[in-house]
């Protein structure tokens, strides 16, 4: 095809750059083939110029979600958020109506969609109106006690989840997008309180604020989850340990409502459930005996009494064995302490020797009342 010459200047050649002869029977010039291939690629991939619009590209599609909690500036800077930032609860609120959730097409602006929402798992309830059309779709999950048990459990609840499918018509073409909305751990915890408020007689604790649910590096403060609800617990613990002079062992810290029942508590509104109570022991108490054990418990009990609280109790299991927040008598010449445990040998309370009471105590309990925060109910 090309006829290079050895007599001309270096790099020169003679002959036609493109052969006029057909190649394997195809008469299309090479340059025309490249032009056709480029046009086909533009059609397939879109011919959007830099900084401009694309007539053949698929549209940018964005869904946004709303609940009564994304509408609170306490939790969210924007009322409508992406799926990964969506916070929500299901079940009846303080008005005894089931909570409604919403989804909309944010981009393309004003576009309409055909919607379908599907609960994932029985625990996510049922939706009477699962389908609809329009730019926005509101759906109201309904849950029953059978779907969301409130019985004793030491395992975390699964997250409520919904699969959302939107078929969007834009400029004569249909585009389908599927998203999942899933409760994060803070809302899984909060959901337990919604469930208890709906179905447990006498349960009046408020749905906790998300901001009260925190991380901790102390496993002895946890309930069924990695995060803890903490209305006053760590403050009480820090102050008690400061007064005690060393770390204490927490035998029971925050108990989510289902764990509270698993622990054997029959108190519907136990202060452990809002993260406002602690059961504490001296470190190594199980290996202590006699005067050493009594002295350690007395020192811990007296340390707790210096902390601002609702009550301090010396308990055996779930029962108080010493009067609420009462001082323990100090030894005097008339009431000596011969065994040096810090308790007068002859001191009594309710007909029992105080030393015997400290012998049977299993922990020191301290708590504060639940915060009066009803905004999220």
């Amino acid at each position: 095809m090309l006829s290079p010459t050895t007599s001309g200047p270096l790099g020169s050649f003679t002959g036609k750059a493109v052969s006029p002869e057909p190649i394997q029977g195809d008469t299309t010039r090479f340059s025309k083939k490249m032009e056709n291939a480029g046009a086909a690629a533009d059609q397939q991939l879109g011919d959007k110029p830099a900084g401009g619009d694309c007539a053949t590209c698929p549209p940018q599609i964005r869904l946004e979600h709303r609940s009564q909690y994304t509408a609170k500036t306490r939790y969210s800077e924007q009322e409508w958020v992406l799926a990964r930032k969506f916070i929500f609860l299901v079940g009846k609120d303080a008005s005894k109506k089931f909570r409604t959730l919403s989804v909309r097409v944010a981009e393309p602006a004003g576009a309409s969609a055909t919607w379908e929402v599907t609960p994932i798992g029985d625990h996510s309830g049922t939706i009477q109106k699962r389908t609809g059309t329009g730019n926005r779709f509101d759906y109201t999950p309904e849950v029953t006690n059978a779907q969301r048990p409130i019985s004793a459990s030491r395992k975390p609840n699964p997250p409520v989840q919904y699969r959302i499918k939107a078929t969007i018509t834009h400029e004569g073409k249909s585009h389908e997008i599927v998203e999942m909305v899933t409760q994060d751990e803070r809302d899984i915890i909060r959901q337990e309180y919604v469930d208890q408020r709906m179905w447990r007689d006498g349960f009046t604790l408020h749905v906790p604020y998300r901001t009260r649910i925190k991380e901790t590096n102390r496993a002895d403060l946890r309930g069924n989850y990695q995060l803890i609800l903490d209305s006053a617990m760590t403050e009480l613990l820090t102050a008690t340990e400061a007064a005690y002079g060393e770390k204490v062992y927490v035998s029971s810290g925050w108990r989510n409502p289902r764990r509270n029942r698993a622990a054997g508590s029959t108190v519907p509104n136990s202060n452990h459930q809002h993260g406002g109570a602690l059961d504490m022991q001296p470190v190594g108490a199980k290996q202590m005996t006699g005067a050493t054990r009594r002295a350690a418990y007395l020192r811990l009990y007296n340390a707790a009494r210096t902390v601002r609280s609702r009550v301090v109790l010396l308990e055996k299991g779930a029962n108080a064995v010493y009067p609420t927040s009462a001082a323990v008598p100090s030894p005097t010449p008339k009431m000596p302490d011969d065994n040096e445990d810090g308790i007068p040998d002859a001191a009594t309370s309710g007909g029992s020797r105080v030393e015997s009471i400290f012998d049977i105590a299993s922990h020191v309990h301290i708590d504060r009342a639940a915060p009066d925060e009803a905004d999220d109910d």
Side-chain angles (χ1 to χ4, degrees):
M1 292 173 60
L2 302 179
S3 302
T5 176
T6 58
S7 60
L10 184 65
S12 68
F13 63 87
T14 62
K16 297 181 182 297
V18 179
S19 171
E21 301 299 324
I23 300 175
Q24 295 180 349
D26 188 349
T27 59
T28 307
R29 292 169 63 91
F30 178 74
S31 58
K32 184 63 176 176
K33 282 187 175 184
M34 294 301 294
E35 181 182 340
N36 292 346
D42 286 345
Q43 183 66 28
Q44 182 178 1
L45 301 177
D47 54 1
K48 183 176 181 178
D53 294 328
C54 171
T56 57
C57 290
Q60 176 72 31
I61 297 175
R62 187 176 84 250
L63 303 185
E64 292 180 338
H65 306 264
R66 181 195 182 279
S67 73
Q68 65 194 78
Y69 303 108
T70 61
K72 292 179 182 290
T73 55
R74 179 191 303 123
Y75 300 138
S76 180
E77 293 180 358
Q78 288 144 348
E79 185 174 354
W80 291 88
V81 299
L82 299 177
R84 61 185 172 82
K85 294 184 176 182
F86 193 38
I87 58 176
F88 67 97
L89 301 173
V90 299
K92 292 182 179 179
D93 59 19
S95 69
K96 306 301 181 185
K97 295 180 180 179
F98 283 107
R99 292 165 170 83
T100 293
L101 310 177
S102 303
V103 59
R104 73 177 182 183
V105 182
E107 286 189 63
S112 182
T114 299
W115 302 95
E116 181 181 6
V117 180
T118 304
I120 305 301
D122 192 52
H123 64 279
S124 296
T126 57
I127 302 173
Q128 297 300 319
K129 183 184 176 184
R130 294 179 47 239
T131 61
T133 58
N135 174 259
R136 167 178 171 166
F137 181 61
D138 297 337
Y139 57 103
T140 306
E142 299 181 9
V143 292
T144 65
N145 192 183
Q147 292 169 324
R148 300 206 53 82
I150 60 172
S151 54
S153 176
R154 293 184 179 272
K155 296 180 179 180
N157 281 352
V160 173
Q161 293 180 297
Y162 300 104
R163 177 182 183 270
I164 298 174
K165 182 173 77 171
T167 304
I168 299 165
T169 301
H170 179 66
E171 296 183 348
K173 295 183 179 180
S174 290
H175 308 275
E176 184 178 289
I177 184 171
V178 176
E179 289 189 350
M180 296 284 292
V181 292
T182 303
Q183 285 181 332
D184 64 8
E185 187 167 299
R186 283 182 168 82
D187 280 344
I188 298 172
I189 290 170
R190 282 153 49 85
Q191 186 66 52
E192 276 205 41
Y193 293 79
V194 177
D195 298 343
Q196 298 284 331
R197 286 176 63 86
M198 282 194 291
W199 297 304
R200 186 173 184 187
D201 290 340
F203 189 95
T204 59
L205 291 178
H206 297 305
V207 177
Y209 290 175
R210 282 177 59 89
T211 48
R212 289 203 179 275
I213 300 172
K214 304 172 183 177
E215 296 180 353
T216 182
N217 58 7
R218 289 194 60 154
D220 55 0
L221 296 182
R222 294 190 179 114
N224 291 358
Y225 303 90
Q226 288 300 303
L227 300 176
I228 61 170
L229 173 58
D230 184 12
S231 68
M233 185 170 57
T234 55
E235 183 182 339
L236 293 170
L237 178 59
T238 300
T240 299
E241 288 183 331
Y244 186 58
E246 58 185 281
K247 187 175 180 179
V248 305
Y249 172 70
V250 178
S251 57
S252 188
W254 170 58
R255 302 178 195 150
N256 50 288
R258 298 193 71 184
R259 188 182 185 93
N260 191 59
R261 300 187 88 163
S265 175
T266 58
V267 181
N269 298 306
S270 163
N271 287 319
H272 281 283
Q273 293 177 106
H274 64 81
L278 294 164
D279 294 343
M280 303 173 291
Q281 299 172 348
V283 172
K286 291 182 179 179
Q287 288 74 47
M288 297 177 185
T289 59
T292 302
R293 185 181 189 277
R294 292 193 295 271
Y297 265 99
L298 175 63
R299 191 159 63 88
L300 177 56
Y301 177 76
N302 283 337
R305 289 184 64 248
T306 68
V307 176
R308 183 177 66 85
S309 65
R310 185 184 71 93
V311 295
V312 174
L313 298 170
L314 189 66
E315 293 186 321
K316 179 184 179 182
N319 301 311
V321 293
Y322 194 73
T324 301
S325 303
V328 175
S330 299
T332 66
K334 292 185 178 181
M335 296 185 66
D337 173 25
D338 292 337
N339 55 26
E340 298 183 345
D341 57 10
I343 303 170
D345 301 335
T348 61
S349 176
S352 299
R353 292 178 62 238
V354 175
E355 286 185 337
S356 298
I357 292 172
F358 273 81
D359 280 333
I360 65 171
S362 60
H363 60 266
V364 175
H365 172 95
I366 186 171
D367 71 39
R368 284 191 192 154
D372 186 18
E373 298 172 342
D375 291 358
D376 287 4
D377 293 347

